[in-house]
Amino acid sequence: MKKLKTLTVGLIKENPVLVLVLGTCPTLAISTNAVNSLGMGIAASAVLLGSNIFISLLRNIIPDKVRIPCYIVVIASFVTLAEMVVEAFAYSLYQALGIYLPLIVVNCVILGRAEMFANKNGVVDSALDAIGMGAGFTLAIVAMASIREIFGSGTWFGMELPWLINNNISIFTMAPGGFIIYGCLIAWVNKISKGQAIKKKEFGCEDCPSAAACGKLAS
């Protein structure tokens, strides 16, 4: 049951985009097109899986004082590999994602899971966490992109939709539309979870792994 919870918690209760509000930059920038969003979700999930497993394997070897730089090196290695694969086998997607593909290196979802989970758990649990969080990230960004593409462009995954293709609302493809849909999706998740997705106290300093270093607890 614990492993099942680890696998599924990222879908709704701790969805990295709609609950933890991580990875906002690529979510807003890429989510104008469902195809591109799916590609970004898969790439980010692959990097998350690889980095979580690798960091879990090295968690007892990496010195605590340099763990963040080490995490970034590991993540950057997997991002480089993912970028090369996308460029080789999906060049149009590689061009569409542009700078946001290499910027997966600093995606808060990946670095956050490395710090909060992979650094403290075994390989199997870290892999399950990565799969769940990656799926949650992908579902959120594809859902947001689908809404924006359908109403903003009158298409879905590139397929033209009757009536909407000639009566689209272009603001949904712009930044204001992205923020509107993002806020609505966050409100929807909060509604279906009855406000219990993440308790407020879980965001306190006492649960932060860097609390001791920054001196917040002492103050």
Side-chain angles (χ1 to χ4, degrees):
M1 290 300 293
K2 182 181 178 182
K3 294 190 185 310
L4 180 61
K5 181 180 178 181
T6 300
L7 180 64
T8 59
V9 72
L11 298 178
I12 295 293
K13 186 179 180 181
E14 293 184 20
N15 186 281
V17 176
L18 303 177
V19 176
L20 302 181
V21 196
L22 300 173
T24 306
C25 180
T27 299
L28 291 170
I30 299 300
S31 63
T32 57
N33 181 287
V35 173
N36 295 344
S37 295
L38 181 60
M40 171 60 78
I42 293 173
S45 298
V47 172
L48 179 58
L49 179 61
S51 62
N52 258 28
I53 291 174
F54 206 76
I55 289 169
S56 178
L57 288 170
L58 298 177
R59 70 186 187 280
N60 295 322
I61 300 175
I62 298 175
D64 188 61
K65 291 184 178 180
V66 295
R67 67 186 188 282
I68 300 300
C70 290
Y71 297 164
I72 293 176
V73 170
V74 171
I75 294 168
S77 300
F78 282 103
V79 169
T80 301
L81 180 61
E83 188 176 6
M84 292 170 66
V85 170
V86 173
E87 184 179 9
F89 296 101
Y91 188 69
S92 59
L93 177 63
Y94 173 78
Q95 289 182 309
L97 296 180
I99 188 63
Y100 294 101
L101 186 57
L103 280 178
I104 293 176
V105 173
V106 290
N107 190 313
C108 297
V109 177
I110 298 172
L111 187 59
R113 298 322 294 174
E115 174 69 6
M116 296 298 295
F117 199 93
N119 186 40
K120 302 177 180 64
N121 293 276
V123 174
V124 174
D125 286 339
S126 296
L128 292 174
D129 176 74
I131 293 170
M133 287 292 168
F137 175 78
T138 303
L139 287 173
I141 195 173
V142 170
M144 185 172 171
S146 295
I147 296 171
R148 295 180 69 186
E149 184 181 357
I150 289 170
F151 292 103
S153 301
T155 62
W156 188 57
F157 282 92
M159 299 180 293
E160 294 187 356
L161 302 176
W163 193 80
L164 286 172
I165 187 66
N166 297 316
N167 297 276
N168 52 67
I169 309 170
S170 59
I171 192 173
F172 284 118
T173 62
M174 303 176 186
F179 280 104
I180 291 170
I181 299 302
Y182 193 27
C184 289
L185 287 175
I186 290 175
W188 176 72
V189 169
N190 192 53
K191 174 69 175 177
I192 64 174
S193 65
K194 298 180 180 180
Q196 297 300 312
I198 291 290
K199 296 179 181 178
K200 187 176 180 181
K201 66 180 182 179
E202 293 182 19
F203 289 102
C205 290
E206 64 272 12
D207 292 305
C208 175
S210 301
C214 71
K216 287 286 186 179
L217 291 180
S219 59

